[in-house]
Amino acid sequence: MYWQYTPYTIPLVLSAAIAAGLALFGWRNRSTPGDVPFAGLMLGVAFWSICYAAGLSVVDLSIKIFWTNLMYLGITAVPGCWLAFTLLHTEQKESFPKWLLIEPIVTVLMAWTNPFHKLLHTALFFSACCLFRLRPF
C-alpha cells in the first residue's frame, strides 16, 4: 500500500486527536448526564477524521474505496450520538426514538454492498483535472 502526503491530512489528524481526547474526557466523567453519548459522538468524529485522512493519503483506488466505506461507520455514528447527547443533556431521555437507529445500519450496509446496486456511488474513478500548488514564501 502506497501513501502520499497531502496538506489536508494535518488538520484531519489534529481534529481526530482532539476529538479522541474529548471522547476520553467524556468517558471518564460518565456521571454527568449525556457524557456517554458525548464520548460516542467524539469517538465517531475521531474515527471519521482518521478514515478520511487515510482515504486521502492512499494512492490505490480500491484502498480509497475501503477507507471510504470504513468512514461511514463514523459518519453514521455522529447524528445518533449527537441526538442522544442533546436529549440526555436537556433531560429528555424518554423522547429518543429508537427506530432512528435503523438508518445508520442501512447506510453502512449500502456502503459495503455498493458494487452490487450502485445506489450510493454510481461511478468511482480518479480524475486528473488540476495540480495542487503552494506559493513559496
Side-chain angles (χ1 to χ4, degrees):
M1 176 169 34
Y2 296 103
W3 296 83
Q4 69 179 359
Y5 169 75
T6 63
Y8 302 114
T9 56
I10 295 172
L12 288 169
V13 171
L14 286 175
S15 68
I18 291 169
L22 287 171
L24 185 63
F25 175 76
W27 185 253
R28 286 187 178 170
N29 298 324
R30 289 188 302 268
S31 60
T32 307
D35 273 344
V36 173
F38 176 75
L41 170 66
M42 291 296 111
L43 198 62
V45 168
F47 190 75
W48 182 358
S49 296
I50 286 295
C51 289
Y52 188 50
L56 286 176
S57 298
V58 294
V59 179
D60 189 32
L61 182 62
S62 63
I63 300 172
K64 280 185 180 290
I65 293 170
F66 169 77
W67 283 109
T68 301
N69 289 343
L70 201 59
M71 184 173 59
Y72 276 104
L73 293 173
I75 290 171
T76 58
V78 168
C81 289
W82 198 340
L83 178 63
F85 166 70
T86 305
L87 293 175
L88 284 174
H89 194 66
T90 58
E91 298 175 357
Q92 299 177 17
K93 64 180 177 180
E94 297 84 23
S95 60
F96 183 76
K98 303 247 186 295
W99 57 269
L100 282 179
L101 298 174
I102 295 171
E103 185 268 335
I105 296 168
V106 170
T107 303
V108 169
L109 286 174
M110 283 179 60
W112 285 99
T113 59
N114 189 58
F116 303 113
H117 51 72
K118 307 271 192 248
L119 292 174
L120 205 55
H121 306 289
T122 55
L124 297 169
F125 56 89
F126 283 120
S127 175
C129 65
C130 53
L131 296 175
F132 184 82
R133 293 185 182 184
L134 292 175
R135 289 177 32 180
F137 292 100

